[in-house]
Amino acid sequence: MTHARTYSGTLIQEPSLREQEHSRLARRAAAEGIVLLKNTGTLPLDLSAPVALFGAGASRTVKGGIGSGDVNNRSNVSIYQGLKDAGLRLTSEGWIEDYEARYHAARAAWKQKVLEAAKQVDNPFDAYSANPFVLPQGRPIVPQDVQGAAAVVYVLSRIAGEGKDRRLEKGDYYLSDSEWNDLRTLDRLGLPIVLLLNAGGPVELTDLLDVAVHIEAVLQLSQLGQEGGHAVADVLLGKTTPEGKLTATWARRYTDYPCAERFSYLDGDLEKAVYQEGIYVGYRYFDSFGVQPLFPFGYGLSYTDFSLRFAGLRVGSDAIEVDVETENAGICFSGREVVQVYISCPQNGGAKELRRLAGFAKTRLLAPEECQTLTIRIPQKQLAAFAPQKQGWVVEQGLYGVWVGNSSASVTLCAQIRVDAETLIERTHPICPLDHSLDELGAANAAQKEASHPAGLPVYGFCPQPQSLPERPAAPLAEGPVEELIPLLYGNITKGTSTLGSAGVRVPGSAGESTEELEASHGVPSLIMADGPAGLRLRQSYQVDRASGRVYGVGVLGSLENGYLETPPQHDNADTYYQFCTAFPVGTALAQTWDTALMEEFGRAIAREMEEFGVDLWLAPGMNIQRNPLCGRNFEYYAEDPFLSGTLAAAVTCGVQQSGRCGVTIKHFACNNQEDNRMGVDVQISQRALREIYLRGFEIAVKTAAPAAIMSSYNRINGVYASNSRDLCTVLARQEWGFDGVIMSDWNTTVPDDGSTPWKCAAAGNDIIMPGNPDDDADIRSAYAGGSLSEEDIRTCAGRVMALAKKLRG
């Protein structure tokens, strides 16, 4: 029997040309994002010299985080496989073989634990997220394991993901006893040790590095996707020169982070999160308070050396351009450098960071003694501070320092900018008010109040220009009976809807769809949405009954871990369709490239897969600020710095949306900086910190790249759920930033008695509630009938959804 419906994917199981091309891109991106933190000369390794390989991540390298940020790709290359494929001889094959047996036993025990826990909860995903798999430790290392080796490679791995924050415990933020014993044993054996950090965020290394004298190289891999093992081999063996830079500060001690003891579960109160550090996040805190980090923001070594020379500055009407001549000063290796420009602002008595990132650029591949002059543009808003008392962004009067370097801690003051008069460059509206005072860190707390400006530096005058709010055409009001438009305000209601992987119907494994109820009557197609941000998250394969054309579904557990927890049954008289997507490096690893051209290329690759599988909206990039290293979802996010985060997200957005047929959904808007109680926590924050740190990246992405959609976060901000906040969804995003796309909720945010109110989403300008359930419909209709929700609000939200469907689906 012939069915009119078409199905996503292909009946061909063999790797496609697209898979092969994207695998090569994933490998290149992974290698570019690796950060060399220490090297005393051990690297690169000699291919002819045997190596001993150990650690939980050696043969079971973690490709990415768990939850909606996972990708069900075809296969992954471990570091063990990557080194073997490169031709490196390993002396520790016996240790690896023993570890594999331990790994499979641990996976089987974990599976049973999750299945038992799933019987006790309504949503099986809650059992999965509450019980993350922990890589087992290997057997103790003995001298025979390293016999004949010239060096040791040790892979320290961590798994984290959606729904649970990392723990301040051994085996997570701290080294486990087994890891500590392994590395101390190896140190005593006297061979050079190369330590590889296969984790989505920092692991505290200070004590280890203080005592283990033979750890001669340290590399932060993050989680590198499906080609991670090959990328690591490329770097370790010198095929590729490391060029990544950290996008978050690594502290010597966890307690060195601002307000560290109050993060998430640590203070025993998950109902509220008080952002007492204010604007002092990441390097802004470490620099301003004189706290020495282990590895600073923007830091990363190479196999070669670079020299930077300030080559001039030009002042425009609303921006400043800085020229920096960059030379590869080495004699052996070609490489690339990231030139970073920071601005120090006048210290006029209020809270002000010592320096802030104002611009950056990356060189092309430079041969030894080759030079390139980079021009780095600094928008005038990077000189501004938000002034709540003036309700706007202000460039203050005084001298601004221009600092050039290759990390936040390695910069040179090269020039000064003089502003003769304070200028209000942008007026804003009051948003998200606090109903009580907040005792934030301020200027009086800072150890360093102002950077010195020595005499003899060039001084350039700059006159900031007031900017008007951007203009966008108003969304057309949807026509027709208002009661018929209400289904556009929530997703396509399906049986078995969950927080992960079972809400999509037309593309199996997709996260969800907008409604299909108006397709026949109004010609409004449903929009297919798939998770990210390391690639598309779809089911690897699915079956279709030949007689009826029905797609056989799977439950929540079947959609996780490529079906490991619950293997989907195989059906007779059915066709199998394959949807092999690419697992690219996680968001942090991509961001560590500091390469906007690569990020745009990555975006184009995502769009190619979206078009292949029929996906309209990619639920990424994730761009929340890495406020604290214990956030369980930091691996999805780019940086602790909003300018870097927004600039990289804009590049990805431009790549995805280049063809006009695909859209991104930047998320989670806003202040989703912890996972424990993410659906209920109330973030208490000043308007200044909110705007300068947590909203600024979103603002940059919206204004420079016009993303198709925004996803609101689960949490409350100063008492109001983000999806119910008209201040965020309408006043800020649309009136101030000119956003003209669709805003959707995070999945199941309107769970009764445990989240936001459905009709208030529409009233706020949160156009679609995802993934949609009957309670949403009943609540909206009741509010409309009772007069709480206006007809105009319904028509406005529906009109934006219809406009986006027309834009993407024609």
Side-chain angles (χ1 to χ4, degrees), residues 63 70-76 107 128 537-541 556-568 579-581:
K63 80 173 194 296
D70 195 7
V71 179
N72 296 317
N73 58 303
R74 183 186 292 269
S75 61
N76 304 307
R107 288 286 282 180
Y128 173 75
R537 189 182 175 284
L538 304 176
R539 283 173 58 187
Q540 199 178 75
S541 65
V556 175
L557 295 179
S559 70
L560 297 164
E561 303 273 341
N562 279 341
Y564 175 76
L565 292 168
E566 187 176 86
T567 304
Q579 303 180 123
F580 290 112
C581 301

Side-chain angles (χ1 to χ4, degrees), residues 523-646:
V524 182
S526 64
L527 296 171
I528 312 298
M529 308 169 191
D531 278 319
L536 297 188
R537 189 182 175 284
L538 304 176
R539 283 173 58 187
Q540 199 178 75
S541 65
Y542 65 95
Q543 289 192 303
V544 177
D545 182 76
R546 293 195 187 104
S548 66
R550 180 172 68 90
V551 174
Y552 289 104
V554 297
V556 175
L557 295 179
S559 70
L560 297 164
E561 303 273 341
N562 279 341
Y564 175 76
L565 292 168
E566 187 176 86
T567 304
Q570 295 298 301
H571 302 275
D572 296 329
N573 301 313
D575 292 321
T576 301
Y577 286 81
Y578 298 95
Q579 303 180 123
F580 290 112
C581 301
T582 307
F584 291 96
V586 297
T588 299
L590 288 170
Q592 287 174 176
T593 69
W594 290 61
D595 189 337
T596 55
L598 176 71
M599 298 297 273
E600 190 166 341
E601 184 180 1
F602 162 66
R604 291 194 296 271
I606 292 295
R608 182 176 174 185
E609 297 191 14
M610 291 173 69
E611 292 187 38
E612 178 179 335
F613 297 115
V615 173
D616 302 296
L617 288 172
W618 184 45
L619 304 180
M623 48 187 306
N624 292 108
I625 294 299
Q626 294 178 355
R627 174 180 175 242
N628 182 286
L630 297 184
C631 175
R633 215 165 172 179
N634 270 352
F635 66 92
E636 291 191 32
Y637 307 141
Y638 290 152
E640 67 186 20
D641 179 80
F643 179 78
L644 179 59
S645 180

Side-chain angles (χ1 to χ4, degrees), residues 291-310:
V291 179
Q292 184 70 29
L294 183 64
F295 301 114
F297 172 81
Y299 175 78
L301 302 174
S302 174
Y303 291 157
T304 188
D305 296 311
F306 295 92
S307 64
L308 308 180
R309 185 182 69 84
F310 174 72

Side-chain angles (χ1 to χ4, degrees), residues 207-269:
D207 289 341
L208 176 69
L209 296 182
D210 284 346
V211 299
V213 296
H214 292 103
I215 295 181
E216 298 189 9
V218 180
L219 295 97
Q220 157 61 352
L221 310 182
S222 186
Q223 294 162 337
L224 296 175
Q226 67 184 48
E227 283 291 317
H230 285 148
V232 169
D234 290 341
V235 170
L236 292 185
L237 295 170
K239 182 178 179 180
T240 299
T241 299
E243 58 189 73
K245 303 284 185 179
L246 291 180
T247 62
T249 305
W250 283 43
R252 290 186 59 82
R253 307 286 181 193
Y254 174 74
T255 51
D256 289 343
Y257 290 103
C259 305
E261 72 285 351
R262 300 199 64 177
F263 178 75
S264 187
Y265 59 89
L266 290 178
D267 69 353
D269 184 2

Side-chain angles (χ1 to χ4, degrees), residues 19 87 128 137 204 242 289 323 375 408 414 441 556 609 747 781 783 793 804:
E19 278 190 81
Y128 173 75
Q137 302 299 314
E204 191 165 298
F289 286 73
D323 293 333
T375 298
S408 63
C414 297
L441 295 180
V556 175
E609 297 191 14
W747 265 229
R781 292 185 187 278
D793 284 336
L804 183 58

